[in-house]
Every structure is written in structure tokens, then in C-alpha cells.
Short mmCIF file of all heavy atoms in Angstrom, two decimals:
data_model
loop_
_atom_site.label_atom_id
_atom_site.label_comp_id
_atom_site.label_asym_id
_atom_site.label_seq_id
_atom_site.Cartn_x
_atom_site.Cartn_y
_atom_site.Cartn_z
N LEU S 1 -1.58 -6.18 -11.82
CA LEU S 1 -2.78 -6.37 -11.03
C LEU S 1 -3.69 -5.17 -11.21
O LEU S 1 -3.23 -4.03 -11.20
CB LEU S 1 -2.42 -6.50 -9.56
CG LEU S 1 -1.51 -7.68 -9.18
CD1 LEU S 1 -1.06 -7.55 -7.74
CD2 LEU S 1 -2.19 -8.98 -9.41
N ASP S 2 -4.97 -5.42 -11.36
CA ASP S 2 -5.92 -4.33 -11.55
C ASP S 2 -6.28 -3.64 -10.24
O ASP S 2 -6.28 -2.42 -10.15
CB ASP S 2 -7.20 -4.84 -12.22
CG ASP S 2 -6.96 -5.24 -13.66
OD1 ASP S 2 -6.07 -4.66 -14.30
OD2 ASP S 2 -7.66 -6.13 -14.13
N ALA S 3 -6.61 -4.41 -9.25
CA ALA S 3 -6.99 -3.85 -7.95
C ALA S 3 -6.49 -4.80 -6.87
O ALA S 3 -6.52 -6.01 -7.03
CB ALA S 3 -8.50 -3.69 -7.85
N VAL S 4 -6.02 -4.23 -5.79
CA VAL S 4 -5.53 -5.03 -4.68
C VAL S 4 -6.14 -4.51 -3.39
O VAL S 4 -6.52 -3.35 -3.29
CB VAL S 4 -3.99 -5.01 -4.57
CG1 VAL S 4 -3.36 -5.65 -5.78
CG2 VAL S 4 -3.46 -3.62 -4.36
N ASN S 5 -6.23 -5.39 -2.41
CA ASN S 5 -6.69 -5.01 -1.09
C ASN S 5 -5.70 -5.61 -0.10
O ASN S 5 -5.70 -6.81 0.12
CB ASN S 5 -8.11 -5.50 -0.82
CG ASN S 5 -8.66 -4.96 0.48
OD1 ASN S 5 -7.91 -4.65 1.40
ND2 ASN S 5 -9.97 -4.85 0.56
N LEU S 6 -4.85 -4.77 0.46
CA LEU S 6 -3.83 -5.24 1.37
C LEU S 6 -4.38 -5.72 2.69
O LEU S 6 -3.67 -6.37 3.45
CB LEU S 6 -2.77 -4.15 1.58
CG LEU S 6 -1.95 -3.83 0.34
CD1 LEU S 6 -0.95 -2.72 0.63
CD2 LEU S 6 -1.24 -5.05 -0.19
N LEU S 7 -5.64 -5.45 2.97
CA LEU S 7 -6.26 -5.96 4.20
C LEU S 7 -6.76 -7.39 4.01
O LEU S 7 -7.13 -8.04 4.97
CB LEU S 7 -7.41 -5.05 4.64
CG LEU S 7 -7.04 -3.60 4.95
CD1 LEU S 7 -8.26 -2.84 5.44
CD2 LEU S 7 -5.91 -3.52 5.95
N ASN S 8 -6.78 -7.86 2.76
CA ASN S 8 -7.31 -9.19 2.47
C ASN S 8 -6.27 -10.13 1.88
O ASN S 8 -6.60 -11.03 1.12
CB ASN S 8 -8.51 -9.09 1.52
CG ASN S 8 -9.69 -8.44 2.19
OD1 ASN S 8 -9.85 -8.51 3.39
ND2 ASN S 8 -10.53 -7.79 1.40
N GLY S 9 -5.00 -9.91 2.18
CA GLY S 9 -3.97 -10.83 1.76
C GLY S 9 -3.40 -10.63 0.38
O GLY S 9 -2.68 -11.49 -0.12
N ASP S 10 -3.68 -9.51 -0.27
CA ASP S 10 -3.17 -9.29 -1.62
C ASP S 10 -1.69 -8.93 -1.67
O ASP S 10 -1.12 -8.79 -2.76
CB ASP S 10 -3.99 -8.24 -2.35
CG ASP S 10 -5.35 -8.76 -2.79
OD1 ASP S 10 -5.56 -9.99 -2.77
OD2 ASP S 10 -6.19 -7.93 -3.18
N ALA S 11 -1.04 -8.79 -0.52
CA ALA S 11 0.40 -8.51 -0.53
C ALA S 11 1.14 -9.62 -1.25
O ALA S 11 2.09 -9.36 -1.99
CB ALA S 11 0.92 -8.33 0.90
N ASP S 12 0.71 -10.86 -1.07
CA ASP S 12 1.36 -11.99 -1.74
C ASP S 12 1.24 -11.87 -3.26
O ASP S 12 2.17 -12.20 -3.99
CB ASP S 12 0.77 -13.32 -1.27
CG ASP S 12 1.10 -13.62 0.19
OD1 ASP S 12 2.10 -13.09 0.71
OD2 ASP S 12 0.34 -14.40 0.80
N ALA S 13 0.09 -11.41 -3.74
CA ALA S 13 -0.10 -11.23 -5.18
C ALA S 13 0.81 -10.13 -5.72
O ALA S 13 1.33 -10.25 -6.83
CB ALA S 13 -1.57 -10.92 -5.49
N ILE S 14 1.01 -9.08 -4.94
CA ILE S 14 1.91 -8.01 -5.36
C ILE S 14 3.33 -8.53 -5.44
O ILE S 14 4.05 -8.28 -6.41
CB ILE S 14 1.82 -6.80 -4.42
CG1 ILE S 14 0.47 -6.11 -4.57
CG2 ILE S 14 2.96 -5.82 -4.68
CD1 ILE S 14 0.23 -4.98 -3.59
N VAL S 15 3.75 -9.29 -4.43
CA VAL S 15 5.10 -9.85 -4.43
C VAL S 15 5.29 -10.77 -5.64
O VAL S 15 6.31 -10.71 -6.33
CB VAL S 15 5.40 -10.59 -3.11
CG1 VAL S 15 6.69 -11.38 -3.20
CG2 VAL S 15 5.45 -9.60 -1.95
N ALA S 16 4.30 -11.61 -5.94
CA ALA S 16 4.39 -12.50 -7.09
C ALA S 16 4.50 -11.72 -8.40
O ALA S 16 5.30 -12.06 -9.28
CB ALA S 16 3.18 -13.44 -7.13
N ALA S 17 3.70 -10.65 -8.52
CA ALA S 17 3.76 -9.82 -9.73
C ALA S 17 5.11 -9.13 -9.86
O ALA S 17 5.67 -9.04 -10.96
CB ALA S 17 2.63 -8.80 -9.72
N MET S 18 5.64 -8.67 -8.74
CA MET S 18 6.95 -8.02 -8.78
C MET S 18 8.05 -9.02 -9.13
O MET S 18 8.96 -8.71 -9.90
CB MET S 18 7.24 -7.33 -7.44
CG MET S 18 6.36 -6.11 -7.21
SD MET S 18 6.65 -5.32 -5.61
CE MET S 18 8.25 -4.54 -5.91
N ASN S 19 7.95 -10.23 -8.59
CA ASN S 19 8.94 -11.27 -8.92
C ASN S 19 8.86 -11.64 -10.40
O ASN S 19 9.89 -11.87 -11.05
CB ASN S 19 8.74 -12.50 -8.04
CG ASN S 19 9.18 -12.26 -6.61
OD1 ASN S 19 9.97 -11.36 -6.33
ND2 ASN S 19 8.65 -13.05 -5.70
N SER S 20 7.65 -11.70 -10.94
CA SER S 20 7.47 -12.00 -12.35
C SER S 20 8.08 -10.89 -13.22
O SER S 20 8.78 -11.16 -14.20
CB SER S 20 5.99 -12.16 -12.67
OG SER S 20 5.80 -12.36 -14.05
N ALA S 21 7.83 -9.65 -12.84
CA ALA S 21 8.38 -8.52 -13.58
C ALA S 21 9.90 -8.52 -13.49
O ALA S 21 10.59 -8.20 -14.46
CB ALA S 21 7.81 -7.21 -13.04
N GLU S 22 10.43 -8.90 -12.33
CA GLU S 22 11.88 -8.98 -12.16
C GLU S 22 12.46 -10.01 -13.14
O GLU S 22 13.50 -9.77 -13.77
CB GLU S 22 12.22 -9.38 -10.73
CG GLU S 22 13.71 -9.54 -10.48
CD GLU S 22 14.03 -9.91 -9.04
OE1 GLU S 22 13.23 -9.61 -8.13
OE2 GLU S 22 15.09 -10.51 -8.83
N GLY S 23 11.78 -11.15 -13.28
CA GLY S 23 12.24 -12.16 -14.22
C GLY S 23 12.22 -11.67 -15.65
O GLY S 23 13.14 -11.94 -16.43
N ASP S 24 11.19 -10.91 -16.00
CA ASP S 24 11.09 -10.37 -17.36
C ASP S 24 12.14 -9.29 -17.63
O ASP S 24 12.72 -9.23 -18.71
CB ASP S 24 9.70 -9.77 -17.60
CG ASP S 24 8.59 -10.81 -17.59
OD1 ASP S 24 8.90 -12.01 -17.73
OD2 ASP S 24 7.42 -10.41 -17.44
N ALA S 25 12.39 -8.44 -16.62
CA ALA S 25 13.30 -7.30 -16.81
C ALA S 25 14.76 -7.68 -16.55
O ALA S 25 15.67 -6.99 -17.00
CB ALA S 25 12.90 -6.16 -15.88
N GLY S 26 14.97 -8.74 -15.80
CA GLY S 26 16.33 -9.15 -15.47
C GLY S 26 16.94 -8.38 -14.32
O GLY S 26 18.12 -8.53 -14.03
N GLU S 27 16.14 -7.59 -13.65
CA GLU S 27 16.62 -6.87 -12.47
C GLU S 27 15.44 -6.60 -11.54
O GLU S 27 14.30 -6.52 -11.99
CB GLU S 27 17.32 -5.57 -12.85
CG GLU S 27 16.46 -4.57 -13.61
CD GLU S 27 17.26 -3.37 -14.05
OE1 GLU S 27 18.04 -3.48 -14.99
OE2 GLU S 27 17.08 -2.31 -13.42
N PRO S 28 15.71 -6.48 -10.25
CA PRO S 28 14.62 -6.29 -9.29
C PRO S 28 14.01 -4.90 -9.37
O PRO S 28 14.68 -3.93 -9.76
CB PRO S 28 15.29 -6.51 -7.93
CG PRO S 28 16.73 -6.20 -8.17
CD PRO S 28 17.02 -6.58 -9.60
N ALA S 29 12.75 -4.82 -9.00
CA ALA S 29 12.09 -3.52 -8.90
C ALA S 29 12.69 -2.77 -7.71
O ALA S 29 12.93 -3.36 -6.66
CB ALA S 29 10.59 -3.71 -8.71
N ALA S 30 12.91 -1.49 -7.88
CA ALA S 30 13.48 -0.68 -6.81
C ALA S 30 12.41 0.04 -6.01
O ALA S 30 12.60 0.31 -4.82
CB ALA S 30 14.47 0.33 -7.38
N VAL S 31 11.27 0.35 -6.66
CA VAL S 31 10.23 1.14 -6.01
C VAL S 31 8.86 0.59 -6.41
O VAL S 31 8.64 0.24 -7.56
CB VAL S 31 10.32 2.63 -6.44
CG1 VAL S 31 9.19 3.45 -5.81
CG2 VAL S 31 11.66 3.23 -6.08
N LEU S 32 7.95 0.55 -5.44
CA LEU S 32 6.55 0.22 -5.69
C LEU S 32 5.72 1.40 -5.19
O LEU S 32 5.88 1.83 -4.05
CB LEU S 32 6.14 -1.05 -4.94
CG LEU S 32 4.65 -1.38 -4.94
CD1 LEU S 32 4.17 -1.73 -6.35
CD2 LEU S 32 4.36 -2.50 -3.97
N VAL S 33 4.86 1.94 -6.05
CA VAL S 33 3.98 3.04 -5.65
C VAL S 33 2.56 2.50 -5.57
O VAL S 33 2.04 1.94 -6.54
CB VAL S 33 4.05 4.21 -6.65
CG1 VAL S 33 3.10 5.32 -6.24
CG2 VAL S 33 5.48 4.73 -6.76
N LEU S 34 1.93 2.65 -4.42
CA LEU S 34 0.54 2.25 -4.20
C LEU S 34 -0.31 3.51 -4.19
O LEU S 34 -0.16 4.37 -3.33
CB LEU S 34 0.39 1.49 -2.88
CG LEU S 34 1.23 0.21 -2.78
CD1 LEU S 34 1.17 -0.34 -1.38
CD2 LEU S 34 0.78 -0.82 -3.79
N ASP S 35 -1.17 3.65 -5.18
CA ASP S 35 -1.94 4.88 -5.38
C ASP S 35 -3.42 4.51 -5.40
O ASP S 35 -3.89 3.92 -6.37
CB ASP S 35 -1.51 5.52 -6.68
CG ASP S 35 -2.15 6.87 -6.96
OD1 ASP S 35 -2.80 7.42 -6.05
OD2 ASP S 35 -2.00 7.38 -8.08
N THR S 36 -4.11 4.80 -4.43
CA THR S 36 -3.93 5.54 -3.19
C THR S 36 -4.14 4.62 -2.00
O THR S 36 -4.59 3.49 -2.15
CB THR S 36 -4.95 6.69 -3.06
OG1 THR S 36 -6.27 6.12 -3.05
CG2 THR S 36 -4.85 7.69 -4.17
N LEU S 37 -3.88 5.15 -0.82
CA LEU S 37 -4.11 4.41 0.41
C LEU S 37 -5.54 3.87 0.46
O LEU S 37 -5.75 2.69 0.75
CB LEU S 37 -3.86 5.32 1.63
CG LEU S 37 -4.22 4.73 2.98
CD1 LEU S 37 -3.21 3.69 3.38
CD2 LEU S 37 -4.30 5.81 4.04
N ALA S 38 -6.50 4.71 0.16
CA ALA S 38 -7.91 4.29 0.23
C ALA S 38 -8.20 3.13 -0.71
O ALA S 38 -8.96 2.22 -0.37
CB ALA S 38 -8.82 5.47 -0.10
N ARG S 39 -7.58 3.12 -1.89
CA ARG S 39 -7.83 2.04 -2.86
C ARG S 39 -7.23 0.72 -2.43
O ARG S 39 -7.77 -0.34 -2.74
CB ARG S 39 -7.29 2.44 -4.22
CG ARG S 39 -8.11 3.55 -4.87
CD ARG S 39 -7.61 3.78 -6.25
NE ARG S 39 -7.92 2.60 -7.05
CZ ARG S 39 -8.55 2.61 -8.20
NH1 ARG S 39 -8.93 3.76 -8.71
NH2 ARG S 39 -8.77 1.51 -8.84
N VAL S 40 -6.06 0.74 -1.77
CA VAL S 40 -5.42 -0.52 -1.40
C VAL S 40 -5.88 -1.05 -0.06
O VAL S 40 -5.42 -2.10 0.40
CB VAL S 40 -3.87 -0.43 -1.45
CG1 VAL S 40 -3.40 -0.08 -2.84
CG2 VAL S 40 -3.32 0.53 -0.42
N MET S 41 -6.84 -0.35 0.56
CA MET S 41 -7.46 -0.87 1.78
C MET S 41 -8.99 -0.74 1.68
O MET S 41 -9.66 -0.36 2.63
CB MET S 41 -6.92 -0.20 3.05
CG MET S 41 -7.15 1.28 3.16
SD MET S 41 -6.50 2.02 4.69
CE MET S 41 -7.40 1.21 5.98
N ALA S 42 -9.50 -1.10 0.51
CA ALA S 42 -10.94 -0.98 0.23
C ALA S 42 -11.76 -1.64 1.34
O ALA S 42 -11.49 -2.78 1.72
CB ALA S 42 -11.27 -1.60 -1.12
N GLY S 43 -12.70 -0.90 1.84
CA GLY S 43 -13.55 -1.41 2.92
C GLY S 43 -12.94 -1.21 4.30
O GLY S 43 -13.61 -1.41 5.31
N GLY S 44 -11.66 -0.84 4.35
CA GLY S 44 -11.00 -0.60 5.62
C GLY S 44 -11.27 0.81 6.11
O GLY S 44 -11.78 1.66 5.38
N ASP S 45 -10.90 1.05 7.35
CA ASP S 45 -11.13 2.35 7.98
C ASP S 45 -9.78 3.00 8.23
O ASP S 45 -9.01 2.54 9.08
CB ASP S 45 -11.89 2.15 9.29
CG ASP S 45 -12.17 3.44 10.04
OD1 ASP S 45 -11.77 4.52 9.57
OD2 ASP S 45 -12.78 3.35 11.12
N GLU S 46 -9.47 4.07 7.49
CA GLU S 46 -8.18 4.74 7.64
C GLU S 46 -8.02 5.39 9.01
O GLU S 46 -6.92 5.77 9.39
CB GLU S 46 -7.97 5.78 6.54
CG GLU S 46 -8.89 6.96 6.63
CD GLU S 46 -8.75 7.92 5.46
OE1 GLU S 46 -8.31 7.51 4.39
OE2 GLU S 46 -9.08 9.10 5.66
N ASN S 47 -9.11 5.50 9.77
CA ASN S 47 -9.05 6.05 11.11
C ASN S 47 -8.84 4.98 12.17
O ASN S 47 -8.69 5.29 13.35
CB ASN S 47 -10.32 6.84 11.42
CG ASN S 47 -10.45 8.04 10.53
OD1 ASN S 47 -9.54 8.86 10.45
ND2 ASN S 47 -11.55 8.15 9.83
N SER S 48 -8.84 3.71 11.77
CA SER S 48 -8.71 2.59 12.69
C SER S 48 -7.26 2.17 12.84
O SER S 48 -6.60 1.82 11.86
CB SER S 48 -9.54 1.41 12.17
OG SER S 48 -9.17 0.21 12.82
N GLY S 49 -6.79 2.17 14.07
CA GLY S 49 -5.43 1.67 14.32
C GLY S 49 -5.29 0.22 13.91
O GLY S 49 -4.23 -0.20 13.43
N GLN S 50 -6.34 -0.56 14.07
CA GLN S 50 -6.29 -1.98 13.71
C GLN S 50 -6.13 -2.15 12.19
O GLN S 50 -5.27 -2.90 11.73
CB GLN S 50 -7.55 -2.70 14.18
CG GLN S 50 -7.53 -4.19 13.88
CD GLN S 50 -8.73 -4.91 14.47
OE1 GLN S 50 -9.58 -4.33 15.12
NE2 GLN S 50 -8.79 -6.21 14.25
N ASP S 51 -6.95 -1.45 11.41
CA ASP S 51 -6.86 -1.55 9.96
C ASP S 51 -5.53 -0.98 9.44
O ASP S 51 -4.88 -1.57 8.57
CB ASP S 51 -8.02 -0.83 9.27
CG ASP S 51 -9.32 -1.60 9.37
OD1 ASP S 51 -9.31 -2.77 9.81
OD2 ASP S 51 -10.37 -1.02 9.01
N MET S 52 -5.11 0.14 9.99
CA MET S 52 -3.84 0.73 9.55
C MET S 52 -2.67 -0.16 9.94
O MET S 52 -1.69 -0.28 9.20
CB MET S 52 -3.67 2.14 10.12
CG MET S 52 -4.60 3.15 9.48
SD MET S 52 -4.42 3.28 7.69
CE MET S 52 -2.77 3.90 7.56
N GLY S 53 -2.76 -0.82 11.08
CA GLY S 53 -1.72 -1.76 11.49
C GLY S 53 -1.60 -2.92 10.51
O GLY S 53 -0.48 -3.33 10.16
N LYS S 54 -2.73 -3.44 10.05
CA LYS S 54 -2.72 -4.51 9.04
C LYS S 54 -2.11 -4.02 7.74
O LYS S 54 -1.33 -4.73 7.11
CB LYS S 54 -4.14 -5.02 8.78
CG LYS S 54 -4.74 -5.82 9.90
CD LYS S 54 -6.15 -6.25 9.52
CE LYS S 54 -6.84 -6.93 10.66
NZ LYS S 54 -8.24 -7.27 10.34
N LEU S 55 -2.46 -2.81 7.34
CA LEU S 55 -1.91 -2.25 6.11
C LEU S 55 -0.40 -2.06 6.23
O LEU S 55 0.36 -2.44 5.32
CB LEU S 55 -2.57 -0.91 5.78
CG LEU S 55 -2.02 -0.33 4.48
CD1 LEU S 55 -3.02 -0.52 3.36
CD2 LEU S 55 -1.65 1.10 4.64
N VAL S 56 0.07 -1.52 7.32
CA VAL S 56 1.50 -1.31 7.52
C VAL S 56 2.24 -2.65 7.53
O VAL S 56 3.31 -2.78 6.94
CB VAL S 56 1.78 -0.50 8.81
CG1 VAL S 56 3.25 -0.52 9.19
CG2 VAL S 56 1.28 0.93 8.66
N ALA S 57 1.65 -3.66 8.15
CA ALA S 57 2.27 -4.98 8.16
C ALA S 57 2.38 -5.55 6.75
O ALA S 57 3.39 -6.15 6.38
CB ALA S 57 1.48 -5.94 9.06
N ALA S 58 1.35 -5.34 5.93
CA ALA S 58 1.38 -5.82 4.55
C ALA S 58 2.44 -5.09 3.74
O ALA S 58 3.19 -5.71 2.97
CB ALA S 58 0.00 -5.65 3.90
N VAL S 59 2.54 -3.78 3.92
CA VAL S 59 3.56 -2.99 3.22
C VAL S 59 4.95 -3.44 3.67
O VAL S 59 5.86 -3.60 2.84
CB VAL S 59 3.34 -1.48 3.44
CG1 VAL S 59 4.54 -0.67 2.98
CG2 VAL S 59 2.08 -1.01 2.74
N ASP S 60 5.12 -3.67 4.95
CA ASP S 60 6.41 -4.15 5.47
C ASP S 60 6.78 -5.51 4.87
O ASP S 60 7.93 -5.76 4.54
CB ASP S 60 6.39 -4.25 6.99
CG ASP S 60 6.53 -2.91 7.69
OD1 ASP S 60 6.91 -1.92 7.02
OD2 ASP S 60 6.27 -2.86 8.90
N ALA S 61 5.78 -6.38 4.72
CA ALA S 61 6.04 -7.70 4.13
C ALA S 61 6.47 -7.59 2.67
O ALA S 61 7.39 -8.28 2.24
CB ALA S 61 4.79 -8.58 4.26
N ILE S 62 5.82 -6.70 1.93
CA ILE S 62 6.20 -6.48 0.53
C ILE S 62 7.64 -5.98 0.46
O ILE S 62 8.46 -6.48 -0.32
CB ILE S 62 5.24 -5.49 -0.16
CG1 ILE S 62 3.84 -6.10 -0.28
CG2 ILE S 62 5.78 -5.07 -1.53
CD1 ILE S 62 2.77 -5.09 -0.65
N ARG S 63 7.96 -5.02 1.28
CA ARG S 63 9.31 -4.45 1.30
C ARG S 63 10.34 -5.51 1.67
O ARG S 63 11.37 -5.65 1.01
CB ARG S 63 9.38 -3.28 2.30
CG ARG S 63 10.74 -2.62 2.40
CD ARG S 63 10.79 -1.60 3.53
NE ARG S 63 10.18 -2.03 4.77
CZ ARG S 63 10.74 -2.86 5.65
NH1 ARG S 63 11.93 -3.37 5.43
NH2 ARG S 63 10.12 -3.19 6.76
N ALA S 64 10.04 -6.31 2.68
CA ALA S 64 10.98 -7.33 3.14
C ALA S 64 11.20 -8.41 2.08
O ALA S 64 12.32 -8.90 1.91
CB ALA S 64 10.48 -7.95 4.44
N GLN S 65 10.15 -8.78 1.37
CA GLN S 65 10.27 -9.87 0.41
C GLN S 65 10.83 -9.44 -0.94
O GLN S 65 11.35 -10.26 -1.69
CB GLN S 65 8.90 -10.52 0.19
CG GLN S 65 8.40 -11.26 1.42
CD GLN S 65 7.03 -11.84 1.21
OE1 GLN S 65 6.80 -12.57 0.27
NE2 GLN S 65 6.10 -11.48 2.10
N THR S 66 10.74 -8.15 -1.25
CA THR S 66 11.20 -7.68 -2.56
C THR S 66 12.43 -6.79 -2.49
O THR S 66 13.12 -6.63 -3.50
CB THR S 66 10.09 -6.89 -3.29
OG1 THR S 66 9.81 -5.69 -2.56
CG2 THR S 66 8.83 -7.73 -3.47
N GLY S 67 12.67 -6.17 -1.35
CA GLY S 67 13.76 -5.22 -1.22
C GLY S 67 13.44 -3.86 -1.82
O GLY S 67 14.29 -2.98 -1.85
N ALA S 68 12.24 -3.69 -2.32
CA ALA S 68 11.84 -2.43 -2.95
C ALA S 68 11.36 -1.43 -1.90
O ALA S 68 10.80 -1.81 -0.87
CB ALA S 68 10.72 -2.68 -3.97
N ALA S 69 11.56 -0.16 -2.19
CA ALA S 69 10.94 0.89 -1.39
C ALA S 69 9.46 0.92 -1.76
O ALA S 69 9.11 0.76 -2.93
CB ALA S 69 11.58 2.24 -1.69
N VAL S 70 8.60 1.08 -0.77
CA VAL S 70 7.16 1.13 -1.03
C VAL S 70 6.65 2.51 -0.64
O VAL S 70 6.82 2.94 0.50
CB VAL S 70 6.41 0.03 -0.25
CG1 VAL S 70 4.91 0.09 -0.56
CG2 VAL S 70 6.97 -1.35 -0.57
N ILE S 71 6.04 3.19 -1.60
CA ILE S 71 5.49 4.52 -1.39
C ILE S 71 3.97 4.41 -1.47
O ILE S 71 3.44 3.89 -2.44
CB ILE S 71 6.00 5.51 -2.46
CG1 ILE S 71 7.52 5.61 -2.40
CG2 ILE S 71 5.33 6.87 -2.31
CD1 ILE S 71 8.13 6.33 -3.59
N VAL S 72 3.30 4.89 -0.44
CA VAL S 72 1.83 4.88 -0.42
C VAL S 72 1.34 6.32 -0.55
O VAL S 72 1.67 7.17 0.29
CB VAL S 72 1.28 4.25 0.88
CG1 VAL S 72 -0.24 4.20 0.85
CG2 VAL S 72 1.86 2.85 1.10
N VAL S 73 0.57 6.59 -1.60
CA VAL S 73 0.03 7.93 -1.83
C VAL S 73 -1.21 8.10 -0.95
O VAL S 73 -2.09 7.25 -0.92
CB VAL S 73 -0.35 8.11 -3.31
CG1 VAL S 73 -1.00 9.47 -3.54
CG2 VAL S 73 0.88 7.93 -4.20
N HIS S 74 -1.25 9.21 -0.23
CA HIS S 74 -2.39 9.53 0.63
C HIS S 74 -2.70 11.00 0.45
O HIS S 74 -1.80 11.84 0.42
CB HIS S 74 -2.06 9.21 2.08
CG HIS S 74 -3.19 9.41 3.04
ND1 HIS S 74 -4.44 8.87 2.84
CD2 HIS S 74 -3.25 10.07 4.22
CE1 HIS S 74 -5.22 9.20 3.87
NE2 HIS S 74 -4.53 9.92 4.70
N HIS S 75 -3.95 11.32 0.29
CA HIS S 75 -4.35 12.70 0.05
C HIS S 75 -4.71 13.43 1.34
O HIS S 75 -5.16 12.82 2.30
CB HIS S 75 -5.56 12.74 -0.89
CG HIS S 75 -5.24 12.19 -2.24
ND1 HIS S 75 -4.46 12.85 -3.15
CD2 HIS S 75 -5.58 11.00 -2.82
CE1 HIS S 75 -4.34 12.12 -4.23
NE2 HIS S 75 -5.00 11.00 -4.05
N LEU S 76 -4.50 14.72 1.30
CA LEU S 76 -4.95 15.57 2.40
C LEU S 76 -6.47 15.61 2.40
O LEU S 76 -7.10 15.34 1.38
CB LEU S 76 -4.41 16.99 2.23
CG LEU S 76 -2.89 17.15 2.28
CD1 LEU S 76 -2.51 18.58 1.96
CD2 LEU S 76 -2.37 16.73 3.63
N GLY S 77 -7.04 15.98 3.50
CA GLY S 77 -8.48 16.19 3.56
C GLY S 77 -8.86 17.44 2.79
O GLY S 77 -8.03 18.12 2.19
N LYS S 78 -10.11 17.78 2.82
CA LYS S 78 -10.58 18.96 2.09
C LYS S 78 -9.98 20.24 2.62
O LYS S 78 -9.83 21.22 1.89
CB LYS S 78 -12.11 19.02 2.13
CG LYS S 78 -12.74 17.88 1.35
CD LYS S 78 -14.24 18.03 1.29
CE LYS S 78 -14.88 16.82 0.71
NZ LYS S 78 -15.07 16.81 -0.69
N ASN S 79 -9.59 20.25 3.88
CA ASN S 79 -8.94 21.42 4.46
C ASN S 79 -7.47 21.07 4.72
O ASN S 79 -7.15 20.46 5.73
CB ASN S 79 -9.63 21.82 5.77
CG ASN S 79 -9.03 23.06 6.39
OD1 ASN S 79 -7.98 23.54 5.95
ND2 ASN S 79 -9.67 23.56 7.43
N PRO S 80 -6.57 21.45 3.80
CA PRO S 80 -5.16 21.10 3.95
C PRO S 80 -4.54 21.56 5.26
O PRO S 80 -3.58 20.97 5.72
CB PRO S 80 -4.49 21.79 2.75
CG PRO S 80 -5.59 22.01 1.77
CD PRO S 80 -6.83 22.21 2.59
N ALA S 81 -5.09 22.58 5.88
CA ALA S 81 -4.55 23.07 7.14
C ALA S 81 -4.69 22.03 8.24
O ALA S 81 -3.96 22.06 9.24
CB ALA S 81 -5.24 24.36 7.54
N ASN S 82 -5.62 21.08 8.07
CA ASN S 82 -5.82 20.03 9.07
C ASN S 82 -4.86 18.87 8.90
O ASN S 82 -4.85 17.96 9.73
CB ASN S 82 -7.27 19.50 9.00
CG ASN S 82 -8.26 20.53 9.48
OD1 ASN S 82 -7.92 21.42 10.26
ND2 ASN S 82 -9.49 20.43 9.03
N GLY S 83 -4.07 18.85 7.83
CA GLY S 83 -3.12 17.76 7.62
C GLY S 83 -3.79 16.54 7.01
O GLY S 83 -4.94 16.58 6.59
N ALA S 84 -3.05 15.44 6.99
CA ALA S 84 -3.55 14.19 6.41
C ALA S 84 -4.69 13.63 7.24
O ALA S 84 -4.74 13.79 8.45
CB ALA S 84 -2.42 13.18 6.30
N ARG S 85 -5.59 12.94 6.55
CA ARG S 85 -6.69 12.27 7.24
C ARG S 85 -6.15 10.98 7.85
O ARG S 85 -5.09 10.49 7.51
CB ARG S 85 -7.79 11.92 6.25
CG ARG S 85 -8.38 13.09 5.53
CD ARG S 85 -9.54 12.66 4.63
NE ARG S 85 -9.33 11.39 3.96
CZ ARG S 85 -9.01 11.26 2.68
NH1 ARG S 85 -8.83 12.33 1.93
NH2 ARG S 85 -8.84 10.08 2.14
N GLY S 86 -6.95 10.37 8.70
CA GLY S 86 -6.67 9.02 9.16
C GLY S 86 -5.95 8.91 10.48
O GLY S 86 -5.64 9.89 11.15
N HIS S 87 -5.69 7.65 10.82
CA HIS S 87 -5.06 7.28 12.08
C HIS S 87 -3.64 7.84 12.13
O HIS S 87 -2.91 7.77 11.16
CB HIS S 87 -5.04 5.76 12.22
CG HIS S 87 -4.46 5.28 13.50
ND1 HIS S 87 -5.14 5.38 14.68
CD2 HIS S 87 -3.27 4.72 13.78
CE1 HIS S 87 -4.38 4.86 15.64
NE2 HIS S 87 -3.25 4.47 15.13
N SER S 88 -3.25 8.37 13.25
CA SER S 88 -1.88 8.91 13.32
C SER S 88 -1.02 8.04 14.19
O SER S 88 -1.10 7.90 15.31
CB SER S 88 -1.90 10.35 13.82
OG SER S 88 -2.60 10.48 15.03
#
């Protein structure tokens, strides 16, 4: 997949792609890396509990349906002393 938006139902497309890759490789994927948080929630607000809740639910669905660990890359703000940006 070139680009996905987990706020718009693309979790199903990720699961389908992972299942297809599993068929090709003969074994299930163990890890999925989503790089970056901002890219997989395009148009969403990382400071919004509602948007982050939808994203977490989508990641949970991918994990539940594939059994893979899901790692979401998120960058620190411009001042690393302030920690990660977004909803806590």
C-alpha cells in the first residue's frame, strides 16, 4: 500500500495486504511498522482524544486480526525536553 489513513477505514486494507503477503511468504507477518503517526492519520488531530481513540482502535483491530505486533513511529516535538507531541 502506498498511503493509508487509519481514520478512514484503511485498517482493512492493511489486514488484506498482510494476509496476501502471508500467502506469498508461507508464514504470518510478525511485525508491522507504521511510519509515521502523522502519515497514517492524515487530516486527523494528534491532540484530539477522539482521533487518537479511532487510531488506537484501528491499530488494535490490525493486531487482533493478524497477530502481528504493531509499532507506530512518532517523533518528538522540536524541543525534545517537552516529550512527544499529541494527546496523552
